[in-house]
Amino acid sequence: MYPAELVKPMREDLTSVGFTELHTTDDVQAAMKKEGTTLVVVNSVCGCAAANARPGARMALQNAKTPDNIFTVFAGVDREATDLARNFMVPFPPSSPSMALFKDGELVHMLERHHIEGRPAELIADNLIDAFNEHC
């Protein structure tokens, strides 16, 4: 587990633009029951989360169409919540960072770490925007 003071600015990268953190399994269960479209970002301390994933997610939210709900879990911090969120992302294997878009609880779009790592934030944002335009 990472110390709270270490991950605070990484959490704020997303919460400052409206993401709600899911700290417990109850939080995840409630989030996944929400109607409409839901984006879940699995945040992490890795460099590709800082350079690519979080900026890409923030950029995508500038689109005209965005998900009804935006949530984040933090891998290596909120372990049980992250594990449960990842269960909703099956058949995709666990990866951090990652992003999943759900529509009425059904997984409709997934970005795994290998879609994020080494790719510019703008490309990640474009990928999410395409998914938002199709599903939101």
Side-chain angles (χ1 to χ4, degrees):
M1 296 298 244
Y2 297 104
E5 60 275 2
L6 174 73
V7 299
K8 185 177 188 270
M10 298 172 206
R11 289 180 181 274
E12 291 173 349
D13 258 358
L14 296 177
T15 60
S16 68
V17 295
F19 280 84
T20 300
E21 291 183 296
L22 307 174
H23 297 287
T24 68
T25 56
D26 288 343
D27 293 343
V28 174
Q29 289 288 1
M32 296 311 297
K33 290 178 183 173
K34 294 208 176 268
E35 292 183 11
T37 50
T38 299
L39 177 66
V40 178
V41 173
V42 178
N43 201 350
S44 80
V45 299
C46 72
C48 64
N52 312 83
R54 292 190 300 263
R58 289 192 318 265
M59 284 183 225
L61 293 178
Q62 302 305 308
N63 190 48
K65 290 184 176 183
T66 58
D68 300 309
N69 312 290
I70 53 175
F71 297 106
T72 181
V73 293
F74 209 111
V77 178
D78 300 315
R79 183 176 181 160
E80 293 83 12
T82 302
D83 288 347
L84 182 57
R86 286 174 169 158
N87 284 341
F88 286 97
M89 299 172 193
V90 169
F92 297 95
S95 66
S96 303
S98 60
M99 303 177 195
L101 183 65
F102 299 88
K103 187 167 188 171
D104 296 325
E106 178 186 344
L107 181 63
V108 294
H109 188 76
M110 184 74 188
L111 279 171
E112 298 174 82
R113 180 185 176 103
H114 69 89
H115 297 119
I116 296 168
E117 191 173 30
R119 290 178 171 77
E122 294 81 9
L123 187 62
I124 293 160
D126 288 345
N127 184 301
L128 287 173
I129 287 168
D130 288 345
F132 295 170
N133 287 339
E134 181 178 346
H135 300 288
C136 297

